[in-house]
Amino acid sequence: MKSVSQKSATAGRRRLPLPFFGVDVNFCRNAQCAHFGVRPDPRDGRGLKLGSANANFPRGRVGGTGDDKYFECGSCGKESSVKNNRAIAEEYTRLRRLQRFHGKACSNEGCPSHGKTLETWPELYWKSGRTKAGHQRYACKRCRSTFTVGHPARNHRRQSKNGQILKLLVHGTSLSKITEIADVAPRDVYRKIDFIYDRVREFTDRREGDLRDVDWERYGRRFATDSQSLTLNWPNRKKRASVSVQHLCTAHANSGFIVLGHLQFDPAGDMAQIEVDMAANGDLAKDRCWRRHGRLWTASEFKKYLDDITAGVEIDPEILADVDLGLQLPHEGGLVRQDIQQYAHALMLRRMVSRSNSRFFFVQDGDAGLSKAFLAAFAPEVAAGRVDVATVSFGKYEFNDAREALYAKGRKDLRNDLNLTAQQLDSLPEFVLNEEIDREIVKRLARRPLGSPFEWPYHTKSEPSRVIDLKTDRPELSAERCARLMRLATLRSVDSYFHKIRSNVRPASRPVSTPSANGRTWDRHFLYKPEMLVKIIEIYRFQHNWMGSRDTKRTPAMKLGLAKGKVYERDLFG
């Protein structure tokens, strides 16, 4: 029998992963490139004589291995990391399901109607009498299992505690203190948090939906995206580690409404089982972009991470007996890979604004991976000139005195450029001042090379030494619009929310390092169950968007046109 020719053996090979349910982000992500957003030839050209360059569509090159695999554009020469399309689609699907609240449904896992809610599939159920309290009971037509529909807190003996625990939770009180103040057992605190979380999800699913019907032209078309590191206690018998997880948020700039907030953790994931599956199907030997399981960390990767951050740190044998040995690594849940989370987050945001034909402006922290995720998700809109993307970096760690000095210098420079006194500058209406600033920025942009970062000349206290990199800078962009985008490129809305979370959610406060801890950070108020942090963060997002504080006159939901007034506890629990 003749051996198969080399050409035939390589005819089916690919150099880039297949699209998965329409998701394909592997192309040139340089917005200044003529081939931005255009899918390159996915075939491996070795043995097929595909190496000759096509003047209209250069092939480019795929290089690197493992997590460092990249596509080098044949037109502009810029490199873009090759991503796992399947993992991005799976994470996007998970976030979509998390956004929707699943109501009452058949609880029998073996039944075909399991998980199909009464609201969506009423034909699968029939009424089956009432309880003694008068609540309607339903039965599944297939397996005859029953469930009751009634007041959400009908089984709560102390319903008055729900509102109290909600207030304590979002005003900087730790879970241990909540048990003392509310006079409830720790187990009941967790149950109350689960109950509040379910009510929040039901409310936001009903009132927010996916925000696709918001009039963005009226309320603003600018968004800010950033991430913050939150800390979890992750102990075992001999070591204690503080594990950081990323909290990725997007805020509507004009209203401060937190459109999306995602934690880098999947409570339903199983890192150990994933590693077993990967060993069975040969995933471990593949580059990450080709793996069947590319969304979550594996158990061995996470163990290595723990070993690295706790190297040489052990609990003293004399106090080992006093350590709570029940606080072990969780048996369920897994860390989501940060790049996969970023791409899924960007796709979620694209879905929310997809019905509008308006121009949108997305500003991110100076993370190259995050900006690439937005450029990939909004590639058609960027190519059409309907979406602009910029990254912002500034002196985050400046002391307050240094911020004050830079702010004073920025105001002085602004007065000099506009030839105004301090009193005249302060008396100018905001829209007039913005127009004057734009005129000055247009003059400075005339000397700037296309696509290069721009140092904002007028320092602000919140963002001193700000540098803006307009990723969608292009020759046809007018100088006036470019100047306006530079002025509007700010992360204040999302950074303000992060500051509130640090101040008002006790488990989200910054870790403190003491001399006796030898540089390690550990806080007894941090959470041991990562899924609880997911719930508390979502509860606080709801409180920020819809309820506000006593001094709040207009909540972000009111400013975005989603509510006519503030939401109170009776609206949530009633």
Side-chain angles (χ1 to χ4, degrees), residues 378-451:
F378 290 92
E381 291 81 4
V382 170
R386 292 197 296 107
V387 163
D388 286 293
V389 177
T391 62
V392 171
S393 60
F394 57 91
K396 293 185 177 181
Y397 305 107
E398 294 283 0
F399 291 107
N400 188 62
D401 291 343
R403 288 174 180 263
E404 292 282 5
L406 288 171
Y407 172 67
K409 181 181 182 301
R411 296 293 287 183
K412 181 180 178 180
D413 293 342
L414 182 58
R415 291 197 305 269
N416 293 337
D417 290 344
L418 300 182
N419 196 22
L420 297 173
T421 65
Q423 184 178 2
Q424 290 173 332
L425 182 64
D426 294 337
S427 62
L428 277 180
E430 184 179 3
F431 74 94
V432 175
L433 178 60
N434 289 337
E435 290 177 355
E436 294 296 328
I437 291 176
D438 288 349
R439 291 192 184 97
E440 289 298 321
I441 299 302
V442 167
K443 299 176 185 177
R444 295 172 182 263
L445 289 176
R447 304 186 296 269
R448 183 185 69 99
L450 184 70

Side-chain angles (χ1 to χ4, degrees), residues 277-572:
D277 294 342
M278 290 177 66
N281 62 25
D283 254 6
L284 295 175
K286 300 177 183 177
D287 296 329
R288 185 148 66 89
C289 62
W290 294 100
R291 291 178 179 177
R292 166 63 181 82
H293 296 286
R295 187 174 66 90
L296 300 178
W297 288 35
T298 64
S300 60
E301 287 174 331
F302 187 70
K303 182 179 182 302
K304 183 180 182 302
Y305 166 69
L306 287 181
D307 290 341
D308 290 342
I309 64 177
T310 59
V313 178
E314 294 189 1
I315 300 177
D316 193 308
E318 293 184 3
I319 65 172
L320 186 60
D322 298 329
V323 177
D324 186 354
L325 299 182
L327 304 177
Q328 302 299 311
L329 294 176
H331 298 288
E332 294 182 353
L335 288 180
V336 180
R337 297 189 184 277
Q338 188 175 356
D339 60 332
I340 301 301
Q341 180 197 29
Q342 292 173 344
Y343 278 79
H345 184 95
L347 288 173
M348 286 285 292
L349 191 57
R350 183 177 186 266
R351 175 181 173 81
M352 290 183 168
V353 301
S354 60
R355 286 188 180 179
S356 175
N357 292 323
S358 304
R359 278 184 172 180
F360 291 96
F361 186 30
F362 299 101
V363 184
Q364 298 98 40
D365 180 47
D367 184 330
L370 189 56
S371 63
K372 291 289 183 66
F374 273 75
L375 288 170
F378 290 92
E381 291 81 4
V382 170
R386 292 197 296 107
V387 163
D388 286 293
V389 177
T391 62
V392 171
S393 60
F394 57 91
K396 293 185 177 181
Y397 305 107
E398 294 283 0
F399 291 107
N400 188 62
D401 291 343
R403 288 174 180 263
E404 292 282 5
L406 288 171
Y407 172 67
K409 181 181 182 301
R411 296 293 287 183
K412 181 180 178 180
D413 293 342
L414 182 58
R415 291 197 305 269
N416 293 337
D417 290 344
L418 300 182
N419 196 22
L420 297 173
T421 65
Q423 184 178 2
Q424 290 173 332
L425 182 64
D426 294 337
S427 62
L428 277 180
E430 184 179 3
F431 74 94
V432 175
L433 178 60
N434 289 337
E435 290 177 355
E436 294 296 328
I437 291 176
D438 288 349
R439 291 192 184 97
E440 289 298 321
I441 299 302
V442 167
K443 299 176 185 177
R444 295 172 182 263
L445 289 176
R447 304 186 296 269
R448 183 185 69 99
L450 184 70
S452 62
F454 177 71
E455 296 183 7
W456 187 254
Y458 311 120
H459 301 283
T460 60
K461 187 175 180 180
S462 60
E463 294 178 334
S465 306
R466 180 160 54 116
V467 178
I468 304 106
D469 188 358
L470 185 59
K471 300 295 184 180
T472 52
D473 197 6
R474 50 196 180 275
E476 61 270 21
L477 190 66
S478 67
E480 290 75 15
R481 176 164 175 78
C482 186
R484 186 169 182 267
L485 292 176
M486 294 295 184
R487 173 172 54 81
L488 295 175
T490 174
L491 297 172
R492 284 195 298 269
S493 54
V494 68
D495 285 346
S496 173
Y497 176 68
F498 283 162
H499 176 71
K500 291 179 180 179
I501 284 184
R502 296 285 192 194
S503 303
N504 298 321
V505 178
R506 186 62 184 86
S509 60
R510 293 189 182 277
V512 178
S513 178
T514 61
S516 60
N518 296 323
R520 291 181 293 125
T521 56
W522 184 270
D523 194 315
R524 64 191 181 92
H525 295 304
F526 289 156
L527 299 175
Y528 298 100
K529 295 182 178 180
E531 64 269 22
M532 292 307 300
L533 186 59
V534 175
K535 296 175 182 179
I536 293 174
I537 290 298
E538 180 62 18
I539 291 171
Y540 187 81
R541 188 183 77 90
F542 166 81
Q543 190 272 344
H544 167 83
N545 285 341
W546 295 87
M547 301 181 73
S549 64
R550 178 177 294 181
D551 299 329
T552 303
K553 294 183 179 179
R554 298 187 68 216
T555 64
M558 295 169 64
K559 295 177 182 178
L560 197 58
L562 297 175
K564 295 182 178 179
K566 296 168 66 173
V567 172
Y568 296 93
E569 298 162 19
R570 60 178 178 270
D571 304 315
L572 183 62

Side-chain angles (χ1 to χ4, degrees), residues 31-48:
Q32 279 83 40
C33 178
H35 291 87
F36 166 76
V38 180
R39 271 67 180 178
D41 189 346
R43 297 174 297 168
D44 190 331
R46 290 174 293 181
L48 296 180

